[in-house]
């Protein structure tokens, strides 16, 4: 009968729509900073994640601009039970809507490095590479990702300082952090945390951490992270030296987490997970990111990628088991609700910086605060390290504050509202009612 045929077709269409709704979820709650911890609402948030850059540094591609790639890997992320991925370089000229939505639907946040190999601070010549051309591309990356609620944080730099001689770069790294925070505020975006990922260098790790957290509020980072490979299985909280790290940072007043971890000197069992997500460390640390998702020739990979297929390696199962066997501490984990800024480290043989004087933002870059940065150049371009106008002097304390009211509302206000089941069910009722009514004519 015609009426029943229409009814069957309509029910099938409505059922398909309802199934699609089931695979969606509302926006993840934004991650915020309070005291020395991350939060989603009133719940303590711990970074439980992996570093994600298939192709590595030798073949830089954007894994979250290709939906087929990211969706393939998101299935593996869900098996691991992680809530965060870190991506080291993205193409800010491409759309990331589909992959960011897929990550959101899987309950996964993004920690994003704003630099690319061609647009970054050059540790050999930081003064020249800190220029308006560089900042324009950094701000364009912020523009591209600020609209996603699951953008957890931005890294202003990664391992720029990797020995005592390169500490002269610290003021420029801190200036970039200041500038990104000012840009976010000036453009009226959600307050996305901004910080730095430090190298695994024992000689000046604490100095760099203190430097990023000293000075006026506009100069201080929202968080600090560092790479650490000192826990090599079999080991424990004391033998690894992690107990000493907790003690050394016990008075640190902003969130702290590991931007890379997972020593591969011996077979990796990820025994450190038990301490990282327990009260051994939760009063000071907020989790970490395992290095790394894909095998890139250094024996750190959790999976092997061949074409479009993924093979799980032994380390994948080890991490999966470690994470599933260790839940987060209950309550607030013993965090510090408040704390003072750090004291700027004194100049020494391992720290070639005096005081907290930072370079002023290059004059041509000031207009981006009110006008916006414009389009990004992606992973190509002619590079920024020897281009543009560099800083003309030192900044005065407080110059990185947001002046006046925000100039632009966040694009988040333009997002479609989260999908709920009610409209789908109401639509199903309307369809059925209309068809049944038509079949009686």
């Amino acid at each position: 009968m015609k009426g029943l045929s229409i009814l069957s077709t309509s029910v099938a269409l409505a059922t398909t729509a309802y199934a699609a709704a089931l695979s969606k979820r509302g926006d993840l709650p934004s991650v915020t900073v309070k005291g020395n911890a991350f939060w989603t609402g009133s719940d303590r948030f711990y970074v439980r994640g992996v570093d994600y850059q298939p192709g590595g540094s030798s073949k830089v591609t954007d894994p979250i601009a290709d939906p087929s790639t990211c969706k393939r890997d998101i299935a593996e992320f869900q098996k691991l039970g992680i809530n965060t991925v870190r991506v080291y370089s993205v193409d800010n000229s491409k759309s990331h809507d589909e992959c960011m939505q897929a990550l959101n639907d899987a309950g996964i946040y993004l920690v994003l490095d704003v630099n690319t190999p061609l647009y970054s601070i050059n540790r050999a010549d930081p003064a020249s590479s800190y220029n308006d051309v560089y900042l324009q591309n950094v701000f364009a990356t912020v523009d591209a990702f600020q609209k996603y609620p699951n953008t957890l944080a931005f890294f202003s730099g990664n391992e720029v300082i990797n020995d005592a001689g390169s500490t002269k770069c610290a003021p420029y790294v801190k200036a970039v952090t200041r500038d990104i925070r000012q840009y976010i505020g000036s453009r009226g975006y959600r307050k996305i945390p901004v910080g730095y990922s430090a190298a695994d260098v024992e000689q000046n790790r604490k100095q760099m951490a203190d430097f990023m957290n000293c000075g006026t509020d506009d100069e201080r980072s929202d968080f600090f992270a560092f790479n650490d490979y000192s826990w090599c299985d079999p080991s424990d909280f004391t033998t690894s030296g992690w107990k000493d790290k907790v003690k050394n940072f016990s008075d640190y007043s902003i969130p702290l987490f590991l931007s890379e971890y997972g020593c591969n000197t011996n077979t990796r069992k990820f025994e450190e997970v038990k301490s990282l997500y327990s009260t051994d460390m939760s009063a000071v640390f907020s989790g970490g990111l395992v290095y790394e998702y894909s095998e890139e020739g250094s024996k750190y990979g959790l999976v092997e990628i061949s074409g479009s297929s993924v093979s799980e390696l032994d380390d994948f199962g080890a991490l999966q088991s470690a994470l599933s066997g260790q839940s987060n501490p209950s309550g607030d984990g013993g965090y510090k609700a408040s704390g003072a800024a750090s004291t700027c480290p004194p100049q020494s043989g391992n720290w070639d910086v005096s005081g907290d004087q930072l370079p002023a933002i290059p004059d041509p870059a000031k207009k981006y605060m009110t006008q916006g940065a414009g389009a990004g150049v992606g992973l190509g371009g002619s590079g920024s390290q020897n281009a543009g106008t560099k800083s003309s002097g030192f900044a005065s304390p407080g110059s990185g504050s947001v002046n006046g009211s925000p100039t632009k509302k966040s694009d988040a206000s333009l997002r479609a509202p989260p999908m709920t089941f009610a409209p789908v069910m109401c639509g199903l009722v309307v369809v059925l009612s209309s068809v049944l009514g038509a079949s009686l004519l």
Side-chain angles (χ1 to χ4, degrees), residues 49 51 200 226-233 242 258-273 276 288-292 298-302 315 319:
D51 298 307
D200 188 4
F226 62 87
N227 305 336
D228 189 284
Y229 294 92
S230 59
W231 186 312
C232 299
D233 294 327
W242 281 28
L258 300 180
S259 41
E260 294 177 6
Y261 76 91
C263 170
N264 68 352
T265 300
N266 305 314
T267 300
R268 297 205 290 184
K269 297 181 180 179
F270 297 102
E271 295 173 343
E272 62 264 54
V273 165
L276 187 57
L289 299 154
V290 168
Y291 190 82
E292 63 182 322
S298 56
K299 305 301 182 184
Y300 282 101
L302 302 175
D315 285 357
L319 179 60

Side-chain angles (χ1 to χ4, degrees), residues 318-340:
L319 179 60
Q320 182 183 44
S321 177
L323 289 172
S324 65
Q326 182 62 46
S327 58
N328 294 331
S330 60
D332 63 19
Y335 90 111
K336 288 170 61 72
S338 60

